Amino acid sequence: MAKNDLTEKVARSIAEKKLNELREIFTGLNREELQRLNSIVKDPEKFADEIRKLLPLSIRKMVDAGDISIDDLLPLMEEALGESIRQNPEKLADILFPIMMPAIRKAVAADIKQMLDSLNNTLEHGFSLKRLGWRLQALFSGRKYSEIVLSHAYIYQVKQVFLIHKGTGLLLAQAADPQQEQATDADMVSAMLSAIKDFVQDSFTDKKESTLEEINVGRMRILLEQGPHAILASVVEGNVPKAYHDLLKETIENIHVTFYRELEDFGGDVTPFEQDNQLLKQCLQKEQKPQKERKPVMAILLLLLILALIGYGIFAGIMRHIHYKHLLADLENTPGIVVTKASNPWFGKITFWGLRDPLAAKPTSFLSKNKMDNKQVQFSFSPYLSLAPAFVLNRAEKILLPPPTVMLHFKNGVLTVSGKADESWLKKLRERYALIPGVQKLRLTFASTPVAEKVKRNILAIEKHVFHFKYNVFALDSVQAKDFDKLITEVKNVLNFSLDQDSVPVIIVNSYTSYAGNVEGNKTIARYRAEQFINRMIRHGIPQEVLVPKVRFIENATHPYENRSVSFQVKYVKPDKL
């Protein structure tokens, strides 16, 4: 049986060898080549890889023949360009360098200018001696005021940080100071940095270990820290300390540790780097210049000035009020001035309203005494006549023009005239005293004169006349008639002269009777007898108003007048008592 198996294997080997020889004759390929061709046909990836080498020549011939158009090829070309960038980014950077550099400069300059303009508007109204000096520096140096403020405010500040793939030059992630505006196109910036790095390395050294560490663009500095697969670029202004360089080194190392796999197998996907950029944010640092703690001298001076102005205003207001009160008291205590209203506002003129006698002192005469002037105070007084004794006497002297021997006194509405005067002035006194405002009564207190003595004698003579009548007799006999004529003459002399102008002489006709018999009858007869005398005196020109009948009863025998007699009495009374 073993012999049969061996024979069978030998026969199969000979058959297979003959079959291979026959296959090679027909196809021209040996067994291994046929197996490889079979593998390519069955595997799309391997088949596409083999076809890729033949496509460029085929496409060119198809375009020349018109079998395909450029529009049909554009999507394929874009994809091919992307693949080319991934395989050889340096070549594309060299090609685009003349275009990208001016564009980057313009974009960065525009963003910085916008930031500075915004800051300049914010700080435009700040003021201090230091800021004034900065403004002068900006004026003469041609730089913006905000630039100078920032340069004095910080020792250094990081504006932006870029993470760039070293092999492709693509931007992986970025971080920017929230107070700064980001670049217009960060991808262009990263590509430009890669181009600059490669240009420097290719132009100035052939040592692969040599690296570009810093780029200066005006006052800006771009610090570069390179790792195996990525470059960390930090855009700073000012002088950074060594500690910040160490921080950049630590950050690029941490990035390679954290994203080792993503960097090693980078195929253009930047999502992992953008989602986790905390390592970049920790590089956004700035160091502010230490501010010397100074006393706010200007603020203190300004505050003291304000307090001084407020204090002066309060003091001036208090003094103004005190002067106002003193002036008001002077006006109220001045005869002939009546203040009805006064106003003392905080601002504006002090105003007084009221009444003023033309003879009173002028209100403006009190201003200098109270340290005021016409610019501060105004008066609005209406004229009136004051009844103060001084003003009444002043007007009495102007109206009456008394001689030097006469003295005038006024009190409680009564004008008292004393001294010596002739009859003509006394007559003028009686005629004019009523024209004096405030004078209600006139009282004369002259010494006795011949005229006055004569009047007194006439009064005594009148009071000595007594007429006696018999029972039931009323007419005068001849002797009584002559005596009555004398009585009339004496009465007229009394009525032509008055000792007191505010009263008038009254002739009281007294008719006497007794209580004996019919009292009412006696009273009627006595009254009739007195009225008969009054009627006769009226017929002789004596005014009825000064004649008063009076019935008097005799109560005892010692009475000075007899029953059925008539006597006369002179009495001065007020006219309203008549």
Side-chain angles (χ1 to χ4, degrees):
M1 187 172 183
K3 184 178 179 180
N4 292 334
D5 292 336
L6 178 61
T7 301
E8 190 174 329
K9 288 182 179 179
V10 171
R12 189 182 300 116
S13 174
I14 294 172
E16 185 176 354
K17 182 177 179 183
K18 290 180 179 181
L19 180 62
N20 290 334
E21 291 175 356
L22 182 61
R23 185 184 295 117
E24 186 175 354
I25 292 172
F26 281 105
T27 61
L29 300 175
N30 58 27
R31 179 183 178 86
E32 289 77 10
E33 290 175 342
L34 287 175
Q35 288 179 349
R36 179 175 175 273
L37 179 61
N38 183 55
S39 173
I40 291 173
V41 172
K42 291 183 178 180
D43 189 348
E45 294 289 336
K46 292 181 179 180
F47 184 76
D49 187 59
E50 293 295 329
I51 296 298
R52 175 176 62 83
K53 301 175 182 178
L54 302 175
L55 280 178
L57 181 60
S58 299
I59 291 173
R60 181 174 295 277
K61 290 186 176 184
M62 290 176 68
V63 172
D64 293 340
D67 296 334
I68 190 171
S69 66
I70 299 298
D71 294 335
D72 296 331
L73 295 176
L74 281 177
L76 297 176
M77 294 176 62
E78 292 175 353
E79 185 177 351
L81 181 61
E83 181 65 23
S84 175
I85 293 173
R86 285 192 292 271
Q87 291 183 3
N88 190 8
E90 292 82 2
K91 185 66 175 179
L92 183 64
D94 293 340
I95 295 173
L96 297 178
F97 172 77
I99 302 173
M100 291 175 57
M101 194 60 184
I104 293 173
R105 283 200 303 267
K106 290 182 180 179
V108 174
D111 291 338
I112 294 176
K113 180 179 182 299
Q114 185 176 0
M115 181 269 294
L116 294 177
D117 289 340
S118 176
L119 182 59
N120 193 61
N121 291 333
T122 303
L123 302 177
E124 187 67 30
H125 302 289
F127 176 78
S128 67
L129 293 178
K130 182 187 294 184
R131 292 182 182 273
L132 182 59
W134 293 348
R135 290 187 182 276
L136 294 176
Q137 182 181 353
L139 178 64
F140 292 107
S141 65
R143 296 172 60 189
K144 285 185 174 290
Y145 171 66
S146 54
E147 296 180 15
I148 296 177
V149 172
L150 286 176
S151 64
H152 286 84
Y154 293 97
I155 297 176
Y156 78 93
Q157 55 180 340
V158 180
K159 298 181 178 295
Q160 288 181 289
V161 179
F162 301 98
L163 180 62
I164 304 169
H165 189 258
K166 190 172 183 180
T168 63
L170 294 179
L171 178 67
L172 301 179
Q174 65 171 326
D177 189 341
Q179 298 179 354
Q180 304 289 337
E181 294 187 4
Q182 296 184 6
T184 303
D185 193 340
D187 291 325
M188 293 180 65
V189 175
S190 66
M192 191 65 252
L193 292 176
S194 297
I196 295 174
K197 173 183 71 66
D198 294 340
F199 172 75
V200 171
Q201 289 180 342
D202 294 341
S203 300
F204 296 98
T205 180
D206 57 354
K207 297 179 180 180
K208 295 182 179 180
E209 63 272 12
S210 299
T211 58
L212 180 65
E213 296 182 350
E214 181 176 331
I215 300 174
N216 291 323
V217 183
R219 293 178 296 102
M220 299 292 182
R221 301 170 62 197
I222 302 177
L223 305 181
L224 301 175
E225 286 295 336
Q226 302 189 33
H229 302 288
I231 300 174
L232 184 64
S234 176
V235 181
V236 300
E237 182 180 13
N239 298 318
V240 296
K242 181 179 181 302
Y244 186 73
H245 288 279
D246 296 338
L247 175 63
L248 293 181
K249 289 185 173 69
E250 294 175 2
T251 302
I252 193 64
E253 292 172 359
N254 293 332
I255 289 174
H256 278 76
V257 172
T258 305
F259 301 102
Y260 174 78
R261 181 59 59 187
E262 288 82 356
L263 292 171
E264 182 74 21
D265 300 330
F266 180 69
D269 185 11
V270 299
T271 304
F273 305 96
E274 292 178 345
Q275 292 178 349
D276 187 6
N277 65 345
Q278 292 300 319
L279 293 174
L280 298 184
K281 290 184 177 180
Q282 71 180 5
C283 296
L284 296 173
Q285 296 188 359
K286 55 188 173 182
E287 183 178 353
Q288 192 169 6
K289 288 185 177 180
Q291 298 290 335
K292 295 182 179 180
E293 190 171 342
R294 298 178 180 178
K295 294 182 180 180
V297 179
M298 294 297 295
I300 293 176
L301 292 178
L302 181 60
L303 179 60
L304 291 177
L305 179 61
I306 295 174
L307 292 177
L309 292 176
I310 294 175
Y312 176 77
I314 294 175
F315 174 76
I318 294 174
M319 295 305 299
R320 172 189 169 103
H321 186 72
I322 292 175
H323 295 326
Y324 157 77
K325 284 294 186 180
H326 290 170
L327 179 58
L328 178 61
D330 289 340
L331 293 175
E332 290 178 339
N333 294 330
T334 300
I337 294 180
V338 178
V339 178
T340 58
K341 182 181 177 182
S343 173
N344 180 24
W346 279 101
F347 301 100
K349 287 187 175 183
I350 298 173
T351 306
F352 295 94
W353 293 270
L355 305 173
R356 175 180 172 271
D357 192 292
L359 300 177
K362 292 183 178 180
T364 54
S365 62
F366 300 101
L367 293 178
S368 59
K369 171 186 175 183
N370 293 285
K371 299 180 180 180
M372 292 185 173
D373 53 34
N374 291 326
K375 296 180 180 179
Q376 298 174 284
V377 184
Q378 64 179 6
F379 302 97
S380 180
F381 287 106
S382 300
Y384 91 113
L385 296 179
S386 173
L387 300 182
F391 297 110
V392 174
L393 287 176
N394 191 304
R395 292 188 178 90
E397 291 178 353
K398 291 181 178 180
I399 294 174
L400 300 178
L401 299 175
T405 57
V406 173
M407 292 182 294
L408 303 179
H409 300 278
F410 178 79
K411 184 178 181 181
N412 298 329
V414 178
L415 180 63
T416 302
V417 182
S418 61
K420 295 181 179 181
D422 55 22
E423 187 65 24
S424 62
W425 187 84
L426 292 175
K427 181 179 180 180
K428 184 172 66 174
L429 171 65
R430 298 187 191 98
E431 294 173 352
R432 295 184 178 181
Y433 89 93
L435 302 176
I436 304 172
V439 176
Q440 300 174 358
K441 299 178 183 179
L442 179 65
R443 177 173 291 114
L444 303 176
T445 58
F446 290 110
S448 298
T449 61
V451 176
E453 292 295 331
K454 182 179 179 181
V455 172
K456 291 181 179 180
R457 288 196 298 269
N458 289 334
I459 291 174
L460 293 175
I462 292 172
E463 293 179 348
K464 287 182 179 181
H465 285 281
V466 179
F467 295 87
H468 298 279
F469 295 92
K470 293 182 179 179
Y471 177 74
N472 208 23
V473 175
F474 301 99
L476 298 177
D477 56 19
S478 57
V479 176
Q480 289 177 331
K482 292 180 180 181
D483 194 16
F484 181 78
D485 292 337
K486 293 180 180 181
L487 173 66
I488 293 300
T489 301
E490 292 167 348
V491 168
K492 289 182 178 181
N493 290 334
V494 171
L495 294 179
N496 288 337
F497 181 80
S498 175
L499 293 177
D500 196 346
Q501 192 64 32
D502 66 341
S503 59
V504 295
V506 174
I507 308 300
I508 301 175
V509 180
N510 296 313
S511 179
Y512 297 95
T513 184
S514 64
Y515 291 105
N518 188 350
V519 176
E520 289 298 325
N522 294 341
K523 183 177 180 181
T524 300
I525 293 172
R527 185 171 185 82
Y528 177 74
R529 192 177 285 119
E531 290 176 351
Q532 289 297 319
F533 268 91
I534 289 176
N535 291 335
R536 290 184 182 188
M537 296 176 75
I538 292 173
R539 288 195 293 271
H540 284 77
I542 305 302
Q544 180 180 356
E545 291 79 9
V546 300
L547 299 174
V548 178
K550 187 72 174 179
V551 176
R552 298 184 181 277
F553 287 92
I554 299 174
E555 298 180 355
N556 50 57
T558 60
H559 197 276
Y561 297 101
E562 297 179 358
N563 189 18
R564 294 187 296 279
S565 62
V566 176
S567 66
F568 304 91
Q569 182 182 359
V570 179
K571 186 176 181 181
Y572 285 87
V573 298
K574 293 182 179 181
D576 58 352
K577 297 294 182 63
L578 294 177

